[in-house]
Amino acid sequence: MKPSDTSPNLPVEQRPFRVLLLAGSNRRQYNCPGVDSKARTLMLRLAESLPQEWEIDIEDLGNVYGRARIQSCNACVSTSMALCVWPCNCYEKDSKAEPDLLWDLDLYARLDAADAWAIIGPHNWYGPSANLKLLFDRLVCMNGGNPKEETIDHKNPEKAMALEHQPEWQELSQNHLEGRTAAFFCYGDEGGDELDAEGRPKLLRHKEYFDPKQEPFENQRDAYAPLVWQCRYAGIEVPDALWRYQVFGEGKKYSDDQAEDMVKETDGMAHFDDWAQAFATFVRQKGKVPPGQYRAWGYEAPGHTWNEIKLGWRDVSMRLGLPPDGSSPAEQQKQGLNKDVTLRPGKSETERQYPSKS
């Protein structure tokens, strides 16, 4: 059934099962490349096969012209775990300066509301699509992120670094989506028709640069291992049987390996349908997942005007070479490490480090 906006607030025993299905290809038909992805077809097929008394939330992460993109992670954790806010506050909903698909589609809340996630996506150069990688990079906040941004005045790095050493931090830092299930179905074409009889790309002039025996995965599903292990690291269960890979379109030209061609590959589709059934069975047997202490569902981000003004003054001071006393930037500047004092940080690094003498 269609997801309800009220059921996530009900007691666990009173609400229906809820699952979130994600198509992780970059492709959509409304702009370049002009054709929908196999991931989208598989996602819709999965939605139709699941128990219809469940709430089935679906989303396609593919690129659409003019629509927001998933903004990249700013790696706040590498400054301090306490600087990484749950849900992410590096971006915000309906931003004109930095529009972000995760916030515009309320994906943090929808991930929180679901008992389980089913993620379908292609292999792109021995790994998941850029959009799936961006999604999971931005989900670092589910693993120990700070649920109270007021403790760090929205985004103050010095306050965050101090908080990380305080007893209070032990209570705040949690796996916010722990207990859920994630299932992964990835697919590839084994190079399509690009390979020669020895398994090397036909276009290669330097054949000695490419040894097919050294390709990175014995099991191709391992291309998605970073996503799987991120989930497991955060207390999200990924059963081994629900992490699968399937070949579609092997030996074919890419133009002959579209969704309408894929559905004719009976063995591959049977493998997908078996995965779909295993997903439904596992989720039902496991049962519904209670929400965490700090929820993304129903979360309303606080206003940031005053804190942004204060952080803006910090930014101006940094550009002038006046970092806060005792801060990491101050120590790096003292040691001559970053050499990053500039009024125009958006310029290229080479242009900044080697300014023109004219």
Side-chain angles (χ1 to χ4, degrees):
M1 74 175 86
K2 181 180 179 180
S4 164
D5 288 338
T6 57
S7 64
N9 296 321
L10 295 173
V12 173
E13 63 275 8
Q14 295 180 18
R15 65 169 177 81
F17 277 98
R18 183 175 178 129
V19 293
L20 175 63
L21 317 183
L22 293 175
S25 173
N26 296 337
R27 301 170 69 209
R28 286 302 305 276
Q29 68 181 9
Y30 299 106
N31 50 276
C32 179
V35 179
D36 261 339
S37 67
K38 291 187 280 292
R40 181 178 177 82
T41 295
L42 294 172
M43 175 189 70
L44 296 176
R45 184 183 181 101
L46 174 60
E48 292 175 355
S49 74
L50 293 174
Q52 293 305 294
E53 69 271 18
W54 291 6
E55 292 188 343
I56 301 172
D57 191 6
I58 60 176
E59 195 55 72
D60 190 331
L61 301 181
N63 297 331
V64 176
Y65 177 78
R67 187 168 81 158
R69 302 286 190 264
I70 301 175
Q71 294 282 351
S72 66
C73 175
N74 291 328
C76 297
V77 170
S78 295
T79 293
S80 166
M81 191 71 238
L83 190 62
C84 181
V85 170
W86 164 256
C88 173
N89 70 340
C90 292
Y91 308 99
E92 55 190 24
K93 192 174 179 68
D94 299 324
S95 170
K96 296 296 187 289
E98 293 183 304
D100 175 48
L101 193 69
L102 290 192
W103 274 110
D104 287 0
L105 295 181
D106 294 320
L107 271 171
Y108 287 111
R110 293 160 69 184
L111 288 158
D112 182 2
D115 297 298
W117 317 330
I119 298 153
I120 304 165
H123 279 194
N124 287 353
W125 286 120
Y126 302 95
S129 69
N131 286 350
L132 269 182
K133 185 63 168 63
L134 286 167
L135 168 66
F136 276 86
D137 280 355
R138 291 280 304 286
L139 282 177
V140 64
C141 58
M142 72 181 175
N143 176 238
N146 186 350
K148 293 187 176 182
E149 66 171 275
E150 66 271 18
T151 59
I152 58 168
D153 290 349
H154 173 53
K155 216 66 179 174
N156 184 302
E158 284 73 51
K159 289 196 172 185
M161 295 170 87
L163 175 61
E164 196 172 15
H165 293 274
Q166 300 303 314
E168 177 187 3
W169 179 241
Q170 300 305 312
E171 188 275 331
L172 292 175
S173 185
Q174 301 180 16
N175 283 333
H176 299 293
L177 298 178
E178 184 145 5
R180 286 159 183 77
T181 298
F184 291 85
F185 188 91
C186 53
Y187 56 88
D189 52 31
E190 304 292 289
D193 70 340
E194 291 190 71
L195 305 182
D196 63 21
E198 295 181 334
R200 289 181 170 84
K202 295 174 184 176
L203 298 181
L204 270 183
R205 290 186 295 114
H206 296 281
K207 301 292 186 182
E208 68 277 13
Y209 291 179
F210 187 101
D211 183 354
K213 295 179 181 179
Q214 294 183 354
E215 288 188 279
F217 308 118
E218 291 185 16
N219 188 336
Q220 295 295 334
R221 73 171 194 163
D222 288 344
Y224 273 51
L227 310 187
V228 169
W229 283 98
Q230 182 180 349
C231 287
R232 291 173 173 173
Y233 192 96
I236 294 162
E237 186 174 11
V238 184
D240 202 60
L242 298 184
W243 173 20
R244 301 195 192 180
Y245 170 77
Q246 178 60 40
V247 177
F248 291 116
E250 185 174 11
K252 294 182 179 181
K253 294 185 181 301
Y254 299 130
S255 55
D256 296 328
D257 180 29
Q258 303 305 310
E260 66 270 21
D261 305 299
M262 173 189 68
V263 296
K264 298 173 185 176
E265 298 192 24
T266 54
D267 289 347
M269 295 306 293
H271 187 215
F272 176 80
D273 290 339
D274 181 71
W275 173 79
Q277 181 60 50
F279 173 70
T281 300
F282 185 91
V283 172
R284 187 188 294 279
Q285 291 178 349
K286 180 176 179 177
K288 301 166 193 172
V289 179
Q293 180 179 358
Y294 300 104
R295 301 205 63 184
W297 182 268
Y299 175 79
E300 294 187 11
H304 299 140
T305 303
W306 175 237
N307 286 323
E308 290 288 3
I309 290 173
K310 290 190 289 184
L311 290 173
W313 175 247
R314 180 184 186 277
D315 179 63
V316 170
S317 298
M318 298 283 286
R319 296 183 190 214
L320 294 172
L322 302 170
D325 290 340
S327 67
S328 180
E331 184 60 29
Q332 290 184 25
Q333 185 169 300
K334 178 181 177 182
Q335 295 183 33
L337 299 178
N338 59 29
K339 302 178 182 179
D340 199 26
V341 174
T342 177
L343 294 175
R344 300 179 64 186
K347 296 175 67 175
S348 80
E349 193 67 29
T350 296
E351 191 175 3
R352 288 167 47 203
Q353 297 297 333
Y354 304 105
S356 172
K357 294 181 180 179
S358 59

